[in-house]
Amino acid sequence: MATASAVGEATARTAREVGFTRVTVGGGDLESLARTIVQNGSAGGAILHVAGRDRAGDLVGLLKLAGFAARRVV
């Protein structure tokens, strides 16, 4: 099962269109996305944050503070 977490509904829609079968949606900002990921837990693996060069904040840092294994690929 391919899983993705998205900041908002537009990104979630795109994730579904490209084949992600389980998509969770944050509240439109970095902090709410981090909370959503933490509340939903992890499927036992690391979290990969695919991001652009310019970001609104440090999702990987927030997830690591919460005890998750996470890394970013730009």
Side-chain angles (χ1 to χ4, degrees), residues 27-61:
D29 61 60
L30 180 81
E31 290 79 16
S32 67
L33 176 59
R35 279 192 304 275
T36 299
I37 293 170
V38 170
Q39 289 170 353
N40 289 326
S42 171
I47 295 173
L48 175 64
H49 178 212
V50 179
R53 181 177 39 103
D54 298 321
R55 295 175 300 279
D58 185 11
L59 179 62
V60 169

PDB file of all heavy atoms in Angstrom, residues 27-61:
ATOM      1  N   GLY A  27      -3.411  20.338   7.747  1.00  0.00           N
ATOM      2  CA  GLY A  27      -4.305  21.488   7.760  1.00  0.00           C
ATOM      3  C   GLY A  27      -3.840  22.662   6.931  1.00  0.00           C
ATOM      4  O   GLY A  27      -4.299  23.777   7.146  1.00  0.00           O
ATOM      5  N   GLY A  28      -2.918  22.454   6.014  1.00  0.00           N
ATOM      6  CA  GLY A  28      -2.498  23.526   5.134  1.00  0.00           C
ATOM      7  C   GLY A  28      -1.194  24.201   5.503  1.00  0.00           C
ATOM      8  O   GLY A  28      -0.754  25.105   4.808  1.00  0.00           O
ATOM      9  N   ASP A  29      -0.578  23.777   6.598  1.00  0.00           N
ATOM     10  CA  ASP A  29       0.724  24.345   6.963  1.00  0.00           C
ATOM     11  C   ASP A  29       1.625  23.247   7.529  1.00  0.00           C
ATOM     12  O   ASP A  29       1.179  22.145   7.828  1.00  0.00           O
ATOM     13  CB  ASP A  29       0.581  25.505   7.955  1.00  0.00           C
ATOM     14  CG  ASP A  29      -0.078  25.084   9.262  1.00  0.00           C
ATOM     15  OD1 ASP A  29       0.466  24.204   9.952  1.00  0.00           O
ATOM     16  OD2 ASP A  29      -1.145  25.635   9.588  1.00  0.00           O
ATOM     17  N   LEU A  30       2.895  23.572   7.650  1.00  0.00           N
ATOM     18  CA  LEU A  30       3.907  22.604   8.059  1.00  0.00           C
ATOM     19  C   LEU A  30       3.633  21.994   9.429  1.00  0.00           C
ATOM     20  O   LEU A  30       3.724  20.781   9.609  1.00  0.00           O
ATOM     21  CB  LEU A  30       5.283  23.286   8.054  1.00  0.00           C
ATOM     22  CG  LEU A  30       6.445  22.400   8.455  1.00  0.00           C
ATOM     23  CD1 LEU A  30       6.867  21.552   7.276  1.00  0.00           C
ATOM     24  CD2 LEU A  30       7.583  23.238   8.949  1.00  0.00           C
ATOM     25  N   GLU A  31       3.274  22.833  10.385  1.00  0.00           N
ATOM     26  CA  GLU A  31       3.052  22.336  11.746  1.00  0.00           C
ATOM     27  C   GLU A  31       1.870  21.383  11.814  1.00  0.00           C
ATOM     28  O   GLU A  31       1.928  20.359  12.492  1.00  0.00           O
ATOM     29  CB  GLU A  31       2.877  23.503  12.720  1.00  0.00           C
ATOM     30  CG  GLU A  31       4.148  24.291  12.979  1.00  0.00           C
ATOM     31  CD  GLU A  31       4.490  25.272  11.862  1.00  0.00           C
ATOM     32  OE1 GLU A  31       3.609  25.584  11.009  1.00  0.00           O
ATOM     33  OE2 GLU A  31       5.647  25.724  11.817  1.00  0.00           O
ATOM     34  N   SER A  32       0.785  21.705  11.107  1.00  0.00           N
ATOM     35  CA  SER A  32      -0.365  20.801  11.144  1.00  0.00           C
ATOM     36  C   SER A  32      -0.070  19.495  10.404  1.00  0.00           C
ATOM     37  O   SER A  32      -0.551  18.437  10.800  1.00  0.00           O
ATOM     38  CB  SER A  32      -1.619  21.477  10.586  1.00  0.00           C
ATOM     39  OG  SER A  32      -1.485  21.740   9.218  1.00  0.00           O
ATOM     40  N   LEU A  33       0.731  19.564   9.348  1.00  0.00           N
ATOM     41  CA  LEU A  33       1.138  18.335   8.659  1.00  0.00           C
ATOM     42  C   LEU A  33       1.957  17.456   9.599  1.00  0.00           C
ATOM     43  O   LEU A  33       1.718  16.248   9.695  1.00  0.00           O
ATOM     44  CB  LEU A  33       1.936  18.643   7.400  1.00  0.00           C
ATOM     45  CG  LEU A  33       2.491  17.433   6.650  1.00  0.00           C
ATOM     46  CD1 LEU A  33       1.373  16.488   6.218  1.00  0.00           C
ATOM     47  CD2 LEU A  33       3.319  17.882   5.465  1.00  0.00           C
ATOM     48  N   ALA A  34       2.897  18.047  10.312  1.00  0.00           N
ATOM     49  CA  ALA A  34       3.707  17.277  11.266  1.00  0.00           C
ATOM     50  C   ALA A  34       2.820  16.635  12.328  1.00  0.00           C
ATOM     51  O   ALA A  34       2.987  15.455  12.649  1.00  0.00           O
ATOM     52  CB  ALA A  34       4.756  18.177  11.910  1.00  0.00           C
ATOM     53  N   ARG A  35       1.855  17.397  12.866  1.00  0.00           N
ATOM     54  CA  ARG A  35       0.936  16.838  13.868  1.00  0.00           C
ATOM     55  C   ARG A  35       0.135  15.672  13.291  1.00  0.00           C
ATOM     56  O   ARG A  35      -0.052  14.651  13.956  1.00  0.00           O
ATOM     57  CB  ARG A  35      -0.017  17.916  14.388  1.00  0.00           C
ATOM     58  CG  ARG A  35       0.568  18.804  15.448  1.00  0.00           C
ATOM     59  CD  ARG A  35      -0.498  19.650  16.139  1.00  0.00           C
ATOM     60  NE  ARG A  35      -1.272  20.465  15.204  1.00  0.00           N
ATOM     61  CZ  ARG A  35      -0.902  21.668  14.754  1.00  0.00           C
ATOM     62  NH1 ARG A  35       0.241  22.201  15.163  1.00  0.00           N
ATOM     63  NH2 ARG A  35      -1.680  22.334  13.929  1.00  0.00           N
ATOM     64  N   THR A  36      -0.338  15.819  12.063  1.00  0.00           N
ATOM     65  CA  THR A  36      -1.106  14.753  11.420  1.00  0.00           C
ATOM     66  C   THR A  36      -0.274  13.488  11.270  1.00  0.00           C
ATOM     67  O   THR A  36      -0.740  12.384  11.564  1.00  0.00           O
ATOM     68  CB  THR A  36      -1.611  15.224  10.035  1.00  0.00           C
ATOM     69  OG1 THR A  36      -2.460  16.354  10.217  1.00  0.00           O
ATOM     70  CG2 THR A  36      -2.367  14.129   9.315  1.00  0.00           C
ATOM     71  N   ILE A  37       0.966  13.644  10.841  1.00  0.00           N
ATOM     72  CA  ILE A  37       1.849  12.480  10.680  1.00  0.00           C
ATOM     73  C   ILE A  37       2.102  11.822  12.024  1.00  0.00           C
ATOM     74  O   ILE A  37       2.022  10.594  12.154  1.00  0.00           O
ATOM     75  CB  ILE A  37       3.172  12.899  10.000  1.00  0.00           C
ATOM     76  CG1 ILE A  37       2.895  13.322   8.548  1.00  0.00           C
ATOM     77  CG2 ILE A  37       4.191  11.755  10.063  1.00  0.00           C
ATOM     78  CD1 ILE A  37       4.085  13.987   7.867  1.00  0.00           C
ATOM     79  N   VAL A  38       2.377  12.612  13.048  1.00  0.00           N
ATOM     80  CA  VAL A  38       2.650  12.065  14.386  1.00  0.00           C
ATOM     81  C   VAL A  38       1.406  11.350  14.922  1.00  0.00           C
ATOM     82  O   VAL A  38       1.506  10.245  15.466  1.00  0.00           O
ATOM     83  CB  VAL A  38       3.118  13.179  15.343  1.00  0.00           C
ATOM     84  CG1 VAL A  38       3.159  12.694  16.775  1.00  0.00           C
ATOM     85  CG2 VAL A  38       4.498  13.693  14.909  1.00  0.00           C
ATOM     86  N   GLN A  39       0.233  11.947  14.769  1.00  0.00           N
ATOM     87  CA  GLN A  39      -1.005  11.337  15.265  1.00  0.00           C
ATOM     88  C   GLN A  39      -1.330  10.036  14.548  1.00  0.00           C
ATOM     89  O   GLN A  39      -1.839   9.101  15.149  1.00  0.00           O
ATOM     90  CB  GLN A  39      -2.176  12.306  15.106  1.00  0.00           C
ATOM     91  CG  GLN A  39      -2.108  13.468  16.057  1.00  0.00           C
ATOM     92  CD  GLN A  39      -3.121  14.558  15.736  1.00  0.00           C
ATOM     93  OE1 GLN A  39      -3.811  14.523  14.727  1.00  0.00           O
ATOM     94  NE2 GLN A  39      -3.192  15.548  16.607  1.00  0.00           N
ATOM     95  N   ASN A  40      -1.037   9.967  13.252  1.00  0.00           N
ATOM     96  CA  ASN A  40      -1.333   8.757  12.477  1.00  0.00           C
ATOM     97  C   ASN A  40      -0.277   7.690  12.641  1.00  0.00           C
ATOM     98  O   ASN A  40      -0.485   6.549  12.240  1.00  0.00           O
ATOM     99  CB  ASN A  40      -1.501   9.088  10.987  1.00  0.00           C
ATOM    100  CG  ASN A  40      -2.779   9.832  10.722  1.00  0.00           C
ATOM    101  OD1 ASN A  40      -3.787   9.595  11.374  1.00  0.00           O
ATOM    102  ND2 ASN A  40      -2.740  10.753   9.790  1.00  0.00           N
ATOM    103  N   GLY A  41       0.869   8.063  13.193  1.00  0.00           N
ATOM    104  CA  GLY A  41       1.943   7.104  13.375  1.00  0.00           C
ATOM    105  C   GLY A  41       2.627   6.775  12.060  1.00  0.00           C
ATOM    106  O   GLY A  41       2.329   7.331  11.018  1.00  0.00           O
ATOM    107  N   SER A  42       3.544   5.873  12.119  1.00  0.00           N
ATOM    108  CA  SER A  42       4.307   5.463  10.947  1.00  0.00           C
ATOM    109  C   SER A  42       4.045   3.990  10.695  1.00  0.00           C
ATOM    110  O   SER A  42       3.781   3.233  11.609  1.00  0.00           O
ATOM    111  CB  SER A  42       5.803   5.694  11.208  1.00  0.00           C
ATOM    112  OG  SER A  42       6.574   5.126  10.196  1.00  0.00           O
ATOM    113  N   ALA A  43       4.140   3.604   9.467  1.00  0.00           N
ATOM    114  CA  ALA A  43       3.922   2.201   9.116  1.00  0.00           C
ATOM    115  C   ALA A  43       5.139   1.349   9.459  1.00  0.00           C
ATOM    116  O   ALA A  43       5.355   0.307   8.869  1.00  0.00           O
ATOM    117  CB  ALA A  43       3.591   2.096   7.631  1.00  0.00           C
ATOM    118  N   GLY A  44       5.948   1.787  10.396  1.00  0.00           N
ATOM    119  CA  GLY A  44       7.094   1.009  10.823  1.00  0.00           C
ATOM    120  C   GLY A  44       8.361   1.325  10.058  1.00  0.00           C
ATOM    121  O   GLY A  44       9.413   0.762  10.335  1.00  0.00           O
ATOM    122  N   GLY A  45       8.281   2.216   9.097  1.00  0.00           N
ATOM    123  CA  GLY A  45       9.460   2.562   8.310  1.00  0.00           C
ATOM    124  C   GLY A  45       9.806   4.030   8.467  1.00  0.00           C
ATOM    125  O   GLY A  45       9.170   4.755   9.215  1.00  0.00           O
ATOM    126  N   ALA A  46      10.820   4.433   7.755  1.00  0.00           N
ATOM    127  CA  ALA A  46      11.246   5.832   7.791  1.00  0.00           C
ATOM    128  C   ALA A  46      10.311   6.682   6.942  1.00  0.00           C
ATOM    129  O   ALA A  46       9.652   6.194   6.028  1.00  0.00           O
ATOM    130  CB  ALA A  46      12.674   5.950   7.265  1.00  0.00           C
ATOM    131  N   ILE A  47      10.268   7.953   7.262  1.00  0.00           N
ATOM    132  CA  ILE A  47       9.466   8.905   6.508  1.00  0.00           C
ATOM    133  C   ILE A  47      10.395   9.659   5.568  1.00  0.00           C
ATOM    134  O   ILE A  47      11.425  10.190   5.984  1.00  0.00           O
ATOM    135  CB  ILE A  47       8.735   9.871   7.449  1.00  0.00           C
ATOM    136  CG1 ILE A  47       7.729   9.082   8.277  1.00  0.00           C
ATOM    137  CG2 ILE A  47       8.068  10.989   6.663  1.00  0.00           C
ATOM    138  CD1 ILE A  47       7.065   9.874   9.365  1.00  0.00           C
ATOM    139  N   LEU A  48      10.019   9.700   4.311  1.00  0.00           N
ATOM    140  CA  LEU A  48      10.785  10.420   3.302  1.00  0.00           C
ATOM    141  C   LEU A  48      10.035  11.697   2.956  1.00  0.00           C
ATOM    142  O   LEU A  48       8.876  11.653   2.544  1.00  0.00           O
ATOM    143  CB  LEU A  48      10.954   9.565   2.045  1.00  0.00           C
ATOM    144  CG  LEU A  48      11.629  10.243   0.855  1.00  0.00           C
ATOM    145  CD1 LEU A  48      13.075  10.618   1.206  1.00  0.00           C
ATOM    146  CD2 LEU A  48      11.586   9.341  -0.355  1.00  0.00           C
ATOM    147  N   HIS A  49      10.681  12.830   3.141  1.00  0.00           N
ATOM    148  CA  HIS A  49      10.089  14.125   2.796  1.00  0.00           C
ATOM    149  C   HIS A  49      10.692  14.566   1.475  1.00  0.00           C
ATOM    150  O   HIS A  49      11.861  14.910   1.395  1.00  0.00           O
ATOM    151  CB  HIS A  49      10.398  15.152   3.889  1.00  0.00           C
ATOM    152  CG  HIS A  49       9.876  16.514   3.589  1.00  0.00           C
ATOM    153  ND1 HIS A  49      10.510  17.648   4.009  1.00  0.00           N
ATOM    154  CD2 HIS A  49       8.786  16.918   2.922  1.00  0.00           C
ATOM    155  CE1 HIS A  49       9.828  18.705   3.602  1.00  0.00           C
ATOM    156  NE2 HIS A  49       8.775  18.290   2.938  1.00  0.00           N
ATOM    157  N   VAL A  50       9.880  14.504   0.422  1.00  0.00           N
ATOM    158  CA  VAL A  50      10.310  14.965  -0.899  1.00  0.00           C
ATOM    159  C   VAL A  50       9.943  16.436  -0.967  1.00  0.00           C
ATOM    160  O   VAL A  50       8.777  16.796  -0.802  1.00  0.00           O
ATOM    161  CB  VAL A  50       9.602  14.166  -2.022  1.00  0.00           C
ATOM    162  CG1 VAL A  50      10.033  14.676  -3.380  1.00  0.00           C
ATOM    163  CG2 VAL A  50       9.906  12.680  -1.867  1.00  0.00           C
ATOM    164  N   ALA A  51      10.952  17.286  -1.167  1.00  0.00           N
ATOM    165  CA  ALA A  51      10.719  18.727  -1.056  1.00  0.00           C
ATOM    166  C   ALA A  51      11.506  19.506  -2.090  1.00  0.00           C
ATOM    167  O   ALA A  51      12.497  19.017  -2.628  1.00  0.00           O
ATOM    168  CB  ALA A  51      11.139  19.197   0.343  1.00  0.00           C
ATOM    169  N   GLY A  52      11.056  20.707  -2.314  1.00  0.00           N
ATOM    170  CA  GLY A  52      11.796  21.630  -3.156  1.00  0.00           C
ATOM    171  C   GLY A  52      12.940  22.257  -2.365  1.00  0.00           C
ATOM    172  O   GLY A  52      13.046  22.084  -1.149  1.00  0.00           O
ATOM    173  N   ARG A  53      13.774  22.994  -3.046  1.00  0.00           N
ATOM    174  CA  ARG A  53      14.920  23.638  -2.396  1.00  0.00           C
ATOM    175  C   ARG A  53      14.458  24.656  -1.355  1.00  0.00           C
ATOM    176  O   ARG A  53      15.019  24.752  -0.272  1.00  0.00           O
ATOM    177  CB  ARG A  53      15.789  24.303  -3.462  1.00  0.00           C
ATOM    178  CG  ARG A  53      17.022  24.992  -2.942  1.00  0.00           C
ATOM    179  CD  ARG A  53      17.865  25.564  -4.073  1.00  0.00           C
ATOM    180  NE  ARG A  53      17.044  26.152  -5.125  1.00  0.00           N
ATOM    181  CZ  ARG A  53      16.860  27.461  -5.293  1.00  0.00           C
ATOM    182  NH1 ARG A  53      17.446  28.309  -4.499  1.00  0.00           N
ATOM    183  NH2 ARG A  53      16.098  27.901  -6.268  1.00  0.00           N
ATOM    184  N   ASP A  54      13.421  25.433  -1.683  1.00  0.00           N
ATOM    185  CA  ASP A  54      12.888  26.434  -0.762  1.00  0.00           C
ATOM    186  C   ASP A  54      11.712  25.823  -0.013  1.00  0.00           C
ATOM    187  O   ASP A  54      10.763  25.330  -0.621  1.00  0.00           O
ATOM    188  CB  ASP A  54      12.435  27.675  -1.536  1.00  0.00           C
ATOM    189  CG  ASP A  54      13.584  28.337  -2.271  1.00  0.00           C
ATOM    190  OD1 ASP A  54      14.700  28.391  -1.706  1.00  0.00           O
ATOM    191  OD2 ASP A  54      13.369  28.778  -3.409  1.00  0.00           O
ATOM    192  N   ARG A  55      11.774  25.846   1.317  1.00  0.00           N
ATOM    193  CA  ARG A  55      10.736  25.241   2.148  1.00  0.00           C
ATOM    194  C   ARG A  55      10.265  26.234   3.196  1.00  0.00           C
ATOM    195  O   ARG A  55      10.983  27.133   3.589  1.00  0.00           O
ATOM    196  CB  ARG A  55      11.281  23.986   2.838  1.00  0.00           C
ATOM    197  CG  ARG A  55      11.652  22.879   1.874  1.00  0.00           C
ATOM    198  CD  ARG A  55      12.307  21.706   2.576  1.00  0.00           C
ATOM    199  NE  ARG A  55      13.540  22.049   3.277  1.00  0.00           N
ATOM    200  CZ  ARG A  55      14.731  22.180   2.691  1.00  0.00           C
ATOM    201  NH1 ARG A  55      14.848  22.025   1.398  1.00  0.00           N
ATOM    202  NH2 ARG A  55      15.791  22.483   3.397  1.00  0.00           N
ATOM    203  N   ALA A  56       9.045  26.025   3.677  1.00  0.00           N
ATOM    204  CA  ALA A  56       8.457  26.902   4.689  1.00  0.00           C
ATOM    205  C   ALA A  56       8.991  26.606   6.088  1.00  0.00           C
ATOM    206  O   ALA A  56       8.801  27.396   7.001  1.00  0.00           O
ATOM    207  CB  ALA A  56       6.937  26.768   4.678  1.00  0.00           C
ATOM    208  N   GLY A  57       9.630  25.470   6.270  1.00  0.00           N
ATOM    209  CA  GLY A  57      10.121  25.085   7.594  1.00  0.00           C
ATOM    210  C   GLY A  57      10.831  23.752   7.520  1.00  0.00           C
ATOM    211  O   GLY A  57      11.169  23.270   6.444  1.00  0.00           O
ATOM    212  N   ASP A  58      11.008  23.143   8.666  1.00  0.00           N
ATOM    213  CA  ASP A  58      11.791  21.911   8.762  1.00  0.00           C
ATOM    214  C   ASP A  58      10.925  20.741   9.217  1.00  0.00           C
ATOM    215  O   ASP A  58      10.906  20.390  10.393  1.00  0.00           O
ATOM    216  CB  ASP A  58      12.959  22.130   9.724  1.00  0.00           C
ATOM    217  CG  ASP A  58      13.896  20.935   9.804  1.00  0.00           C
ATOM    218  OD1 ASP A  58      13.783  20.014   8.966  1.00  0.00           O
ATOM    219  OD2 ASP A  58      14.747  20.930  10.714  1.00  0.00           O
ATOM    220  N   LEU A  59      10.196  20.146   8.288  1.00  0.00           N
ATOM    221  CA  LEU A  59       9.337  19.010   8.610  1.00  0.00           C
ATOM    222  C   LEU A  59      10.150  17.849   9.173  1.00  0.00           C
ATOM    223  O   LEU A  59       9.763  17.242  10.177  1.00  0.00           O
ATOM    224  CB  LEU A  59       8.557  18.560   7.376  1.00  0.00           C
ATOM    225  CG  LEU A  59       7.635  17.361   7.574  1.00  0.00           C
ATOM    226  CD1 LEU A  59       6.553  17.675   8.597  1.00  0.00           C
ATOM    227  CD2 LEU A  59       7.034  16.925   6.251  1.00  0.00           C
ATOM    228  N   VAL A  60      11.274  17.559   8.573  1.00  0.00           N
ATOM    229  CA  VAL A  60      12.103  16.448   9.043  1.00  0.00           C
ATOM    230  C   VAL A  60      12.555  16.693  10.480  1.00  0.00           C
ATOM    231  O   VAL A  60      12.516  15.793  11.320  1.00  0.00           O
ATOM    232  CB  VAL A  60      13.310  16.225   8.098  1.00  0.00           C
ATOM    233  CG1 VAL A  60      14.317  15.280   8.708  1.00  0.00           C
ATOM    234  CG2 VAL A  60      12.823  15.671   6.764  1.00  0.00           C
ATOM    235  N   GLY A  61      12.949  17.908  10.797  1.00  0.00           N
ATOM    236  CA  GLY A  61      13.353  18.241  12.165  1.00  0.00           C
ATOM    237  C   GLY A  61      12.219  18.034  13.155  1.00  0.00           C
ATOM    238  O   GLY A  61      12.418  17.472  14.241  1.00  0.00           O
TER     239      GLY A  61
END
